[in-house]
Amino acid sequence: MSAESAGQRARDLSGALPEGLAGHDDRPVPRKRLLAALLTLNIVAVIVAVVVLRHLHDHTLREAEVRSQNIALAVDLNLSNEINKIDLSLRTVVAQLNQRVSLLPSHIDRLILQGLIRQQHSLLPEAEAWSVVDREGQIVVHDGDSAANFSIADRDYFQDLKSGRSRGLLVSRPLTSRLTGQPIIIIARAFRAPDGTFAGIVAVPLPLSFIDSLLAEFDVGPRGVLALRDRNLGFITRVPAHARTAMPREGEARVSSQFQQLVAAGKAQAVYHASSPFDDVERIFSFRRLSNAPIHVVAGIAKDAVLESWEHTAWSLAGFLGFFLVLANAAAALVYRQWRRQRQDALSLADSYERLERMAFYDELTGLPNRALLSDRMRQSMAECRRRNGSRLAVCCLDLDGFKEINDRWGHAVGDRLLFEVALRLRRCTRDNDTVARLGGDEFVVLFSDLGDESDACEAVSRLIDCVGEPCSIGPARPKIALSVGVTLYPSGTAEEPDALLRQADQAMYEAKRNGRNRMHFFDLESERFLRERQTHYDRLVEALAQGEFRLHYQPKVDLRSGQPIGVEALLRWQHPQRGLLPPSDFLPVIESSELTLPVGEWIIHEALRQQQRWRAQGVNMRISVNLFALHLQRPDFVERLRDILQVYPDGEPGMLELEVVETTALEDLDEITARIRGCMELGVDFALDDFGTGYSSLTYLRELPARQVKIDRSFVRDMLDNANDRALVESIVGMAHTLGRQVVAEGVETLAHGVPLIRCGCDCAQGYGIARPMPPEELPGWLATWSMPPVWAEAVRHDVIFFGNGLS
């Protein structure tokens, strides 16, 4: 198969998703579909059956709840009606007694009173004999036996009415009648003397057998119960008769916890499900408190009796469902076997061909064309440009910024899904005649065909950068995506082969990374020459580090109020064998844009600590400040690497080392940088915020970064003698830093005169050529011996000092 035909075939298949990630195959998979359909059918059938049964179950229980509520309501109405009749008669008798109470107990016309009681009793034949009781509890009139003469002073209901604990109508707990020996409840009212004092009661005994007969009229079904409870949930009575095999004692308050909780919550009526504490039968209960008496009616319907018909329906439905599913699955199995015999041979050859083709021309992870198919596409597009005069091809080499950190932080699984997402976004923002390919790792190539000029290419690449840079969520991960893009145009140079164009685009891409990432860079011959020179310079710097050609010079820092030296800043120099001592501006930009930042930065820290040991041996104990490259603090293992360096010098004091960072160091992730700074400070190392005021988020970093010291950038200090704005800025920075508890160092003190306004605005320390130029380490002890407080500073301290804070010392 030729490259062109293979490429065309691959292009036809390029819309497919990768098998490894998406689990998708272009050819139909009837077995999976059939199994999925059968599984869906089985699940749907079972779910429908369960839903129907659940609905029937709930409906049956709801009907039982309504039935229990209706029974409880009917009992409430009957009992309330009976109690109302008794209460009406009691009120009639009590009214007569209130008019004649002064005649009791000796002069009352007992015959008249007894006649009145018998008249009321005749209206209530269900009650036992009525009694009129005086204030001492002695029965003075009795409807049944005129000779009855005994005391009820020991009865609770009499004591409640006499003491006033119960007012109005009283319904007692179950009692045993002293006349008949049968269980009764007493319904009574008190009557009073003309002065309002207690004079006695009128009592009506109501047999529980009568109440049982009322309750027995209601059908609660098999194993159902009807019960009455008093105000304290004490037992009064319970029917039907079969329930009496587990009858509680009269007054016993053993009830279910649900019933107790509902009554305690103040509920007058409610429905609940519970097992009876007497026979362990689970029932659907409904209770109501009578409207005219402290009695609770409890109606319970046995749940198993209610659900008997539902269980029969459930078993019938389960049998039918099982039979249906067996038939459906068997029929589907027969259909699949027949199809498989007819289809298997035809698919085998096509499947093998397609797999081989995808392996040869497509990336397995993203489904994009690989390097082989990309080369074929580039040759076709270059030929098209040659045929069509004025048409241009843009070859774009793309690399994801920070992809290694994403892999390290969230793992390779998230990294792979991120690459797949990037591939989708690239295809989404390109045209049908463009090509998106993956070379490997996080490198992609995009071919934009049929462009007019460089501006068209610039617009297309900007679209890529914006599309890929949109927020991305992969599970719990929220990686930030950015692209560095190198672009070369065809025809525009000497390259006539795809590999040469790819090399040019790759060089331009690396230049985009060096210029700050997340941008594009177009290849040109001048840039190529510059890159070669830069690479030569880089190789020479690697050699200089290996041969020990780097040096550290030290510039002192002094306290403005005392004039005492408080430390030195270590500054990098290159002792070139031919060119002599070179300043950092000649070589530092190359180091900062390459991986040399890590070894050079660690060499600076090592050398500073070694020099500190040498000075200590000479009696000079001086704090050293070291400038950190941004890449150091952006490394997750920086705190551990710093700890290892400090352990090499066990005699040193970590507190005598200070690391200086610039604001741009924290731009990537302020929270992570702050956490690493705090980790270093736990080792005893201090931090200073260098070049303060030059960044766009100075106030944010002054507040968030835990730096002990703030160094005002030399650009503000240098002109403050002549520029009122710079002087005002310096004063503001000093005030803010002191408010936040930071010590302030002014850089760029070029003359001693600069120190005077700094002292007046409260600045703590100063550094610059006006104090001392950077010097080799061997010259520092001599300088210390000759340095003294300048008189102009001493005069400013004595007369004009204005201190704006409590700067750390």
Side-chain angles (χ1 to χ4, degrees):
M1 180 175 59
S2 69
E4 291 190 4
S5 61
Q8 182 58 44
R9 171 62 175 159
R11 280 192 296 276
D12 294 339
L13 298 172
S14 62
L17 292 174
E19 184 175 353
L21 276 179
H24 177 78
D25 193 346
D26 282 345
R27 51 182 182 82
V29 189
R31 179 180 182 181
K32 293 181 180 178
R33 293 179 180 177
L34 182 61
L35 289 176
L38 285 176
L39 180 61
T40 303
L41 175 63
N42 292 343
I43 292 175
V44 169
V46 171
I47 290 176
V48 169
V50 169
V51 169
V52 170
L53 289 176
R54 184 64 185 177
H55 175 74
L56 291 175
H57 179 274
D58 294 344
H59 180 70
T60 303
L61 292 181
R62 282 195 298 272
E63 285 185 335
E65 290 176 352
V66 172
R67 182 183 169 200
S68 68
Q69 287 177 301
N70 290 338
I71 293 174
L73 176 61
V75 173
D76 179 6
L77 294 175
N78 280 8
L79 278 180
S80 297
N81 182 55
E82 185 66 27
I83 292 173
N84 283 337
K85 290 193 298 182
I86 294 174
D87 188 33
L88 181 61
S89 296
L90 282 174
R91 288 176 183 273
T92 301
V93 174
V94 167
Q96 293 293 327
L97 283 172
N98 286 337
Q99 297 175 5
R100 295 179 172 86
V101 69
S102 60
L103 302 177
L104 286 174
S106 58
H107 299 94
I108 189 170
D109 190 343
R110 284 184 169 83
L111 292 177
I112 295 175
L113 186 58
Q114 197 168 40
L116 176 63
I117 291 175
R118 285 177 177 173
Q119 179 185 5
Q120 296 300 324
H121 190 187
S122 65
L123 300 175
L124 301 166
E126 61 272 14
E128 290 187 0
W130 289 39
S131 299
V132 178
V133 184
D134 63 14
R135 65 169 53 91
E136 303 302 328
Q138 192 69 29
I139 295 178
V140 296
V141 176
H142 187 67
D143 180 33
D145 184 0
S146 60
N149 187 13
F150 55 86
S151 174
I152 63 169
D154 59 332
R155 294 292 196 179
D156 291 342
Y157 64 87
F158 178 78
Q159 294 294 332
D160 288 345
L161 287 171
K162 182 177 181 179
S163 65
R165 286 192 297 269
S166 292
R167 296 182 179 275
L169 184 69
L170 179 141
V171 179
S172 75
R173 61 182 178 82
L175 303 170
T176 300
S177 173
R178 290 178 176 173
L179 295 177
T180 65
Q182 298 299 316
I184 60 173
I185 60 173
I186 299 296
I187 302 175
R189 273 187 177 274
F191 59 92
R192 301 189 177 277
D195 60 359
T197 59
F198 175 78
I201 69 170
V202 180
V204 178
L206 188 64
L208 288 183
S209 59
F210 171 73
I211 296 177
D212 288 348
S213 66
L214 285 181
L215 300 180
E217 296 177 1
F218 299 95
D219 180 18
V220 289
R223 296 179 297 285
V225 296
L226 267 174
L228 298 182
R229 295 274 179 174
D230 62 20
R231 71 180 63 182
N232 298 320
L233 304 186
F235 177 77
I236 297 177
T237 188
R238 183 182 181 200
V239 296
H242 69 77
R244 294 181 180 272
T245 58
M247 283 283 284
R249 295 186 302 276
E250 284 140 357
E252 184 175 356
R254 184 155 55 101
V255 296
S256 65
S257 60
Q258 296 95 317
F259 188 18
Q260 287 180 328
Q261 293 169 0
L262 290 169
V263 173
K267 299 289 186 182
Q269 59 181 5
V271 177
Y272 62 96
H273 295 213
S275 296
S276 172
F278 302 105
D279 55 13
D280 290 331
V281 175
E282 187 176 6
R283 295 184 175 91
I284 301 169
F285 288 100
S286 176
F287 80 88
R288 292 178 65 89
R289 186 167 59 233
L290 296 189
S291 57
N292 57 358
I295 296 177
H296 294 87
V297 180
V298 183
I301 300 176
K303 185 177 287 189
D304 56 353
V306 171
L307 294 177
E308 283 180 358
S309 61
W310 175 83
E311 291 175 354
H312 176 73
T313 303
W315 282 110
S316 301
L317 183 58
F320 172 77
L321 178 63
F323 178 73
F324 168 75
L325 292 179
V326 168
L327 284 181
N329 292 337
L334 291 175
V335 170
Y336 172 72
R337 288 179 183 176
Q338 180 69 21
W339 173 88
R340 186 178 181 183
R341 283 194 296 268
Q342 296 175 357
R343 182 69 175 169
Q344 190 169 9
D345 292 340
L347 286 178
S348 179
L349 182 60
D351 183 66
S352 298
Y353 172 79
E354 184 178 337
R355 288 178 180 273
L356 289 173
E357 190 174 48
R358 291 197 62 82
M359 290 173 61
F361 298 106
Y362 283 89
D363 174 58
E364 182 179 2
L365 176 65
T366 62
L368 296 176
N370 61 13
R371 187 181 292 271
L373 183 54
L374 174 65
S375 180
D376 179 67
R377 296 274 183 91
M378 288 182 68
R379 293 183 185 278
Q380 294 181 24
S381 299
M382 292 166 69
E384 184 68 20
C385 287
R386 289 191 294 268
R387 285 194 301 268
R388 299 175 60 182
N389 189 24
S391 176
R392 305 184 78 178
L393 169 68
V395 180
C396 307
C397 188
L398 290 68
D399 189 83
L400 298 183
D401 296 332
F403 181 71
K404 181 180 183 302
E405 286 74 13
I406 294 174
N407 263 341
D408 293 341
R409 180 175 181 181
W410 284 297
H412 290 283
V414 171
D416 287 347
R417 293 177 63 184
L418 177 62
L419 292 174
F420 183 69
E421 174 65 22
V422 170
L424 290 179
R425 294 186 180 191
L426 292 176
R427 286 168 53 182
R428 190 167 61 242
C429 58
T430 54
R431 302 166 300 177
D432 292 340
N433 60 335
D434 298 329
T435 298
V436 180
R438 178 174 178 242
L439 302 186
D442 59 340
E443 287 191 63
F444 296 84
V445 172
V446 177
L447 304 180
F448 287 109
S449 303
D450 196 21
L451 298 178
D453 53 22
E454 185 174 315
S455 63
D456 292 341
C458 185
E459 180 181 349
V461 174
S462 297
R463 192 166 60 247
L464 288 181
I465 295 175
D466 293 341
C467 181
V468 172
E470 293 175 357
C472 177
S473 298
I474 301 177
R478 301 290 186 273
K480 298 178 181 177
I481 316 175
L483 281 182
S484 292
V485 184
V487 186
T488 186
L489 299 177
Y490 177 86
S492 63
T494 57
E496 291 292 335
E497 291 295 326
D499 288 344
L501 290 173
L502 286 176
R503 282 195 300 272
Q504 292 179 355
D506 191 61
Q507 290 179 12
M509 181 268 292
Y510 279 106
E511 187 63 23
K513 281 188 173 293
R514 276 190 289 269
N515 291 337
R517 303 183 178 186
N518 193 27
R519 64 192 61 211
M520 72 180 82
H521 186 82
F522 280 81
F523 174 83
D524 60 74
L525 295 178
E526 186 62 31
S527 295
E528 188 174 21
R529 283 193 295 271
F530 173 77
L531 290 175
R532 283 198 296 267
E533 293 175 0
R534 192 183 189 96
Q535 184 63 39
T536 301
H537 199 177
Y538 171 80
D539 294 339
R540 183 62 187 88
L541 286 170
V542 173
E543 183 181 351
L545 179 62
Q547 295 181 0
E549 297 176 3
F550 289 125
R551 300 286 186 270
L552 287 184
H553 283 202
Y554 299 89
Q555 186 175 36
K557 295 185 288 186
V558 299
D559 187 292
L560 284 170
R561 285 180 291 280
S562 67
Q564 292 297 317
I566 62 167
V568 294
E569 180 179 358
L571 301 171
L572 185 63
R573 301 291 186 267
W574 181 9
Q575 188 65 52
H576 196 282
Q578 289 80 37
R579 299 170 58 191
L581 189 68
L582 300 181
S585 58
D586 286 1
F587 60 89
L588 202 56
V590 178
I591 293 178
E592 289 178 333
S593 64
S594 68
E595 62 272 17
L596 272 178
T597 52
L598 294 176
V600 171
E602 292 187 357
W603 177 87
I604 293 174
I605 298 175
H606 275 286
E607 179 60 24
L609 293 173
R610 282 193 293 266
Q611 184 58 49
Q612 213 168 39
Q613 286 185 334
R614 299 187 197 106
W615 281 336
R616 194 176 296 113
Q618 301 174 28
V620 176
N621 193 18
M622 191 64 61
R623 179 193 296 267
I624 298 181
S625 300
V626 173
N627 289 282
L628 272 187
F629 293 115
L631 190 58
H632 279 280
L633 274 180
Q634 292 168 7
R635 286 179 61 92
D637 62 345
F638 175 68
V639 178
E640 289 74 19
R641 296 177 73 92
L642 180 60
R643 181 186 294 112
D644 294 341
I645 293 174
L646 292 174
Q647 289 173 354
V648 176
Y649 308 94
D651 297 334
E653 299 178 22
M656 297 299 288
L657 176 64
E658 183 176 70
L659 301 179
E660 296 186 3
V661 296
V662 295
E663 296 174 33
T664 53
T665 302
L667 289 178
E668 293 277 339
D669 193 324
L670 181 59
D671 292 337
E672 290 187 5
I673 297 300
T674 302
R676 292 187 190 118
I677 290 177
R678 293 191 187 279
C680 295
M681 295 179 73
E682 290 175 2
L683 301 178
V685 177
D686 279 333
F687 271 80
L689 187 58
D690 198 11
D691 297 341
F692 182 78
T694 59
Y696 66 89
S697 298
S698 298
L699 296 181
T700 299
Y701 296 126
L702 179 62
R703 182 189 62 194
E704 300 294 339
L705 293 179
R708 184 185 71 92
Q709 194 175 84
V710 174
K711 302 187 72 174
I712 304 176
D713 186 69
R714 67 183 69 250
S715 63
F716 298 112
V717 177
R718 182 180 59 241
D719 298 326
M720 66 179 297
L721 294 178
D722 305 315
N723 190 316
N725 290 334
D726 285 349
R727 186 164 56 254
L729 284 173
V730 170
E731 291 175 355
S732 299
I733 293 172
V734 170
M736 287 187 296
H738 282 168
T739 300
L740 296 175
R742 308 290 199 269
Q743 190 182 58
V744 182
V745 177
E747 296 183 303
V749 178
E750 305 299 334
T751 67
L752 293 178
H754 282 80
V756 174
L758 290 172
I759 291 173
R760 289 175 178 170
C761 71
C763 185
D764 300 293
C765 307
Q767 173 185 351
Y769 284 4
I771 299 170
R773 290 178 175 271
M775 63 188 73
E778 58 272 12
E779 295 181 7
L780 183 68
W783 181 86
L784 291 173
T786 60
W787 167 259
S788 62
M789 177 83 160
V792 66
W793 291 6
E795 183 69 17
V797 170
R798 191 162 50 250
H799 295 100
D800 301 317
V801 65
I802 301 175
F803 184 48
F804 283 94
N806 296 324
L808 302 176
S809 59

